[in-house]
Amino acid sequence: MHIPDGVIGATTAAGFGAVAAGGFGIAARRTREHLSDRHIPLAALTAAFVFAAQMVNFPVIAGMSGHLLGGVLAAVLVGPAAGFVVLTVVLIVQSLVFADGGLTALGLNIVNMGLIGAVGGYGLFRVVLAATPRRFRSIPFAAAVAAFLAVPAAAMGFVGEFAIGGTADVSLGAVLTAMLGTHVLIGIGEGVITGFVVAGVVASRRDLVLGVPEQVAARGA
Amino acid sequence: MDRRTRIFFVVGLLVTLVVAVAISQLASDQPDGLEYVAEEEGFADAARDHDLSDSALADYGDGLTDNPALDTALAGLIGVLVTLAVGWAVFRLIKRRGDDSVPS
């Protein structure tokens, strides 16, 4: 899912860089308001876990793998604004230290995995959560469903960027179909991993599921 | 952090390190979704090499030592610690600017 340099033109990439920077400013302000100081280590740990999980590509179909994006996972654990910051930190480390994801494509990748994956995915999570019984086990379920949907959504982010500034002369419809079809399958893995990790945190320390503080307080077992 | 939260943090970090150092050894080396589509649809050639592709840890330490498993383990260990440190610093900076009552 990490876009390399060159696939999207420089002007478009710079434009999305500006969107990502603006998004980071808003996310930082909201994080300042909503994340308490004592939760800073957990937010940093969430970033480290997303980095680690992204290393583990799982086989999807012959000749193709997928890996966790982690946007919904991060947003459910630390809230959507801090979740966006988490994905931004991971993407910057991956690009600067491991040459994974182009330097000029950083804004594109932050928009797809941070803005769409974490913030948009969190919106999906709240919608699913509102439609499920008020029980703790609904939290990992809603996270899994949202994570599953967030992967093709992030893939559509790439398709939109490719439509605006793609440098290769190929059929946009074919790219859209291929991105959607492959990422729906990858989304299954995203949903399973996200569901299990969130279930583990809910079972051990549900007060640390910072994405749903009011629900956790009100929910029955 | 209170004691219970510290335990949660330490266990979480250990799990994270196991994922990055050990489970990462099982990772598929097949192209991911975007790389696969790029090859299938014919825009893979549009990608340029990363500007830092010659750095020691590029491509998750590939070729760092003559042992690929050790390369992956080192990349995982370093990546987790760097991400933890950068994340901690970024969140502290974000929070500290809020406490700063000095007008800019």
Side-chain angles (χ1 to χ4, degrees), chain A residues 119-214:
Chain A
V119 180
Y122 182 78
L124 294 169
F125 165 72
R126 294 304 295 248
V127 169
V128 179
L129 193 62
T132 52
R134 295 179 66 82
R135 299 196 187 288
F136 286 120
R137 71 176 85 101
S138 296
I139 297 172
F141 172 78
V145 173
F148 162 65
L149 295 171
V151 176
M156 288 304 96
F158 168 78
V159 174
E161 292 154 1
F162 193 81
I164 298 169
T167 57
D169 187 21
V170 297
S171 157
L172 188 64
V175 171
L176 188 151
T177 309
M179 284 299 284
L180 198 58
T182 50
H183 287 82
V184 163
L185 298 176
I186 296 171
I188 297 170
E190 180 93 13
V192 169
I193 297 169
T194 302
F196 274 110
V197 175
V198 171
V201 180
V202 168
S204 55
R205 285 295 301 274
R206 60 189 176 228
D207 58 308
L208 297 180
V209 184
L210 307 178
V212 282
E214 71 287 1

Side-chain angles (χ1 to χ4, degrees), chain B residues 11-93:
Chain B
V11 171
L13 184 57
L14 288 175
V15 170
T16 299
L17 286 168
V18 167
V19 172
V21 173
I23 299 179
S24 61
Q25 305 288 344
L26 308 172
S28 165
D29 57 5
Q30 295 296 315
D32 76 3
L34 178 57
E35 292 164 338
Y36 177 85
V37 171
E39 280 163 28
E40 291 287 304
E41 301 303 328
F43 62 90
D45 289 342
R48 286 199 312 270
D49 271 353
H50 198 285
D51 294 314
L52 306 172
S53 57
D54 293 331
S55 77
L57 288 170
D59 203 12
Y60 297 89
D62 188 31
L64 188 64
T65 70
D66 44 21
N67 180 344
L70 185 59
D71 291 347
T72 300
L74 284 171
L77 176 67
I78 294 167
V80 164
L81 297 180
V82 168
T83 308
L84 186 72
V86 172
W88 202 308
V90 166
F91 278 106
R92 273 196 64 168
L93 272 172

